[in-house]
């Protein structure tokens, strides 16, 4: 009858609808599992594995090529893991270096003290050359011993605060040139242009170390591309006073600093691109300049590398100055 036919048709439609709904639900589940649930589970497993050994670069996630939010999350996680792994490895390197320094520093200080005692005997030699070189040698040994002592007492974590006072800049520049062997017969040009009677409100030892590190970096840059040539390889040091700030620039005609090294230029172990380099020179220079309330930066758009240093004079306490004059 017509009623029975309608019931069979309704039952068939219901079964077909249930079948289509079930298949649709299955396809949706499989799609969500493949597109979202699976990748999220993979991210979770990668994070747990990386947490177990963050210094193992093999545990860093290899992101896919997806362009959606999951792909963005994978790439950002991989970048974060890479950065964290590098930082942890660097900290381990620093910890190992600190332990090594603490072990050898005491013996090194004793060796320097012995060398100092032997050098004292040079002062009794009447040779003019010896008389000229001996005070500089003793001064260099005194500075090395002082560095060793400050390393032990301060833990090599930070530099001691600067002992600032007005100092003539020209003698410090001459001492740097002598220490680096930048004599008139050298194969590297040394050009100095500083204001007459320029004085800097700074710690002379700290300032010497900064200039020495920058000059040594320039020399190493020259040597990295072959034998030095005075017509090609030149270092230019300029200094001037701008109001209460002294501006110092050290420029070289070397190969320059690669882009990959500029991001971590003033971080320990982050700026060296030379074989055997430590990458500590610029980090030490930046820390010493910051201790003076100054700045150091790489100047863009120059031949080779140019570093600009600013050292402001200390603020004068007018109340203390007036009190000192009254008591005086």
């Amino acid at each position: 009858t017509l009623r029975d036919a309608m019931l069979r048709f309704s039952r068939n439609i219901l079964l077909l609808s249930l079948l289509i709904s079930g298949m649709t639900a299955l396809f949706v589940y499989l799609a969500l599992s493949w597109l979202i649930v699976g990748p999220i589970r993979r991210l979770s497993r990668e994070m747990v594995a990386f947490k177990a050994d963050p210094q193992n670069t093999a545990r860093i996630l290899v992101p896919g090529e997806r362009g959606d939010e999951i792909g963005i999350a994978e790439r950002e996680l991989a970048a974060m893991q890479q950065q964290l792994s590098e930082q942890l490895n660097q900290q381990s390197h620093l910890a190992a270096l600190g332990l090594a320094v603490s072990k050898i520093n005491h013996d090194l200080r004793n060796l320097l003290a012995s060398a100092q005692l032997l050098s004292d005997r040079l002062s009794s030699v009447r040779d003019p050359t010896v008389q000229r070189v001996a005070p500089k040698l003793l001064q260099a040994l005194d500075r090395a011993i002082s560095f060793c002592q400050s390393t032990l007492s301060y833990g090599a974590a930070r530099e001691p605060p600067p002992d600032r006072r007005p100092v003539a800049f020209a003698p410090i520049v001459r001492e740097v040139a002598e220490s680096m062997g930048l004599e008139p017969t050298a194969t590297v040009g040394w050009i100095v242009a500083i204001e007459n009677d320029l004085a800097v409100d700074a710690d002379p030892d700290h300032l010497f170390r900064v200039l020495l590190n920058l000059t040594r970096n320039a020399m190493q840059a020259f040597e990295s591309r072959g034998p030095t040539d005075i017509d090609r390889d030149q270092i230019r040091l300029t200094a001037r006073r701008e109001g209460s700030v002294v501006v110092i620039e050290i420029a070289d005609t070397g190969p320059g600093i690669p882009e990959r090294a500029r991001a971590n230029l003033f971080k320990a172990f982050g700026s060296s691109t030379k074989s055997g380099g430590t990458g500590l020179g610029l980090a030490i220079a930046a820390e010493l300049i910051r201790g003076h309330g100054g700045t150091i930066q790489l100047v863009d758009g120059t031949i080779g590398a140019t570093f600009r240093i600013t050292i402001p004079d200390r603020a004068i306490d007018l109340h203390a100055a007036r009190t000192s004059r009254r008591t005086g």
Side-chain angles (χ1 to χ4, degrees):
T1 62
L2 180 61
R3 181 174 178 275
D4 293 335
M6 292 296 292
L7 288 176
R8 285 195 301 271
F9 179 76
S10 299
R11 184 174 62 251
N12 292 336
I13 291 297
L14 177 61
L15 293 175
L16 181 61
S17 299
L18 291 175
L19 179 62
I20 293 173
S21 299
M23 294 179 64
T24 302
L26 178 61
F27 287 144
V28 170
Y29 171 78
L30 293 176
L32 291 176
S33 178
W34 179 62
L35 293 174
I36 298 178
V37 178
I40 291 179
R41 287 177 176 172
R42 176 172 174 261
L43 285 176
S44 301
R45 290 195 301 268
E46 293 289 347
M47 287 189 288
V48 172
F50 181 78
K51 179 183 177 181
D53 188 9
Q55 291 183 260
N56 185 356
T57 56
R59 300 288 181 93
I60 297 176
L61 171 69
V62 179
E65 298 180 355
R66 296 178 55 161
D68 57 3
E69 286 75 7
I70 297 295
I72 295 174
E74 289 180 346
R75 288 188 290 274
E76 292 299 323
L77 176 60
M80 182 179 66
Q81 289 177 337
Q82 181 70 34
Q83 183 178 9
L84 180 60
S85 179
E86 291 176 356
Q87 290 178 349
L88 290 174
N89 286 325
Q90 185 179 100
Q91 289 179 359
S92 298
H93 191 180
L94 287 171
L97 178 63
L99 179 61
V101 168
S102 65
K103 289 181 177 180
I104 68 174
N105 193 67
H106 182 269
D107 291 339
L108 177 61
R109 185 178 57 176
N110 289 338
L111 291 173
L112 290 172
S114 299
Q116 187 181 39
L117 292 175
L118 294 175
S119 300
D120 285 337
R121 300 179 182 178
L122 293 176
S123 59
S124 60
V125 178
R126 299 303 181 185
D127 185 89
T129 303
V130 173
Q131 290 294 320
R132 181 175 61 86
V133 174
K136 298 176 182 177
L137 176 60
L138 292 174
Q139 185 179 9
L141 288 172
D142 288 339
R143 183 179 285 112
I145 293 173
S146 177
F147 288 167
C148 289
Q149 291 173 340
S150 63
T151 299
L152 278 180
S153 63
Y154 208 75
R158 292 176 297 171
E159 294 289 343
D163 180 17
R164 301 184 65 173
R165 55 187 182 274
V167 294
F169 187 64
I172 297 177
V173 174
R174 286 195 296 269
E175 187 177 358
V176 170
E178 292 173 354
S179 299
M180 294 301 301
L182 294 171
E183 304 293 342
T185 57
T187 56
V188 172
W190 174 248
I191 304 170
V192 177
I194 61 178
E195 294 179 351
N196 294 329
D197 302 325
L198 177 64
V200 186
D201 185 11
D203 184 318
D205 287 334
H206 285 194
L207 188 55
F208 171 82
R209 291 174 62 189
V210 170
L211 299 180
L212 186 68
N213 282 334
L214 294 177
T215 305
R216 181 181 291 113
N217 283 354
M219 296 286 287
Q220 291 174 347
F222 296 150
E223 294 168 356
S224 67
R225 63 184 181 187
T228 54
D229 183 352
I230 193 170
D231 294 327
R232 179 192 62 186
D233 303 325
Q234 296 183 352
I235 303 173
R236 181 180 178 85
L237 189 151
T238 63
R240 62 189 182 276
R241 175 170 289 278
E242 297 181 357
S244 61
V245 178
V246 172
V247 180
I248 304 169
E249 290 188 356
I250 297 182
D252 64 63
T253 57
I257 297 176
E259 287 295 332
R260 66 180 183 275
R262 297 192 177 206
N264 301 313
L265 193 57
F266 298 105
K267 294 181 180 179
F269 304 104
S271 62
S272 178
T273 59
K274 301 177 291 296
S275 175
T278 63
L280 284 173
L282 291 178
I284 293 173
E287 184 176 353
L288 294 176
I289 293 300
R290 284 195 299 267
H292 288 75
T295 62
I296 178 172
Q297 61 182 349
L298 177 67
V299 180
D300 294 326
T302 62
I303 299 175
T306 299
F307 290 92
R308 179 178 293 133
I309 301 169
T310 61
I311 301 179
D313 295 340
R314 287 169 295 175
I316 299 176
D317 189 341
L318 297 178
H319 176 73
R322 287 194 294 266
T323 303
S324 177
R325 285 197 296 270
R326 291 195 192 100
T327 58

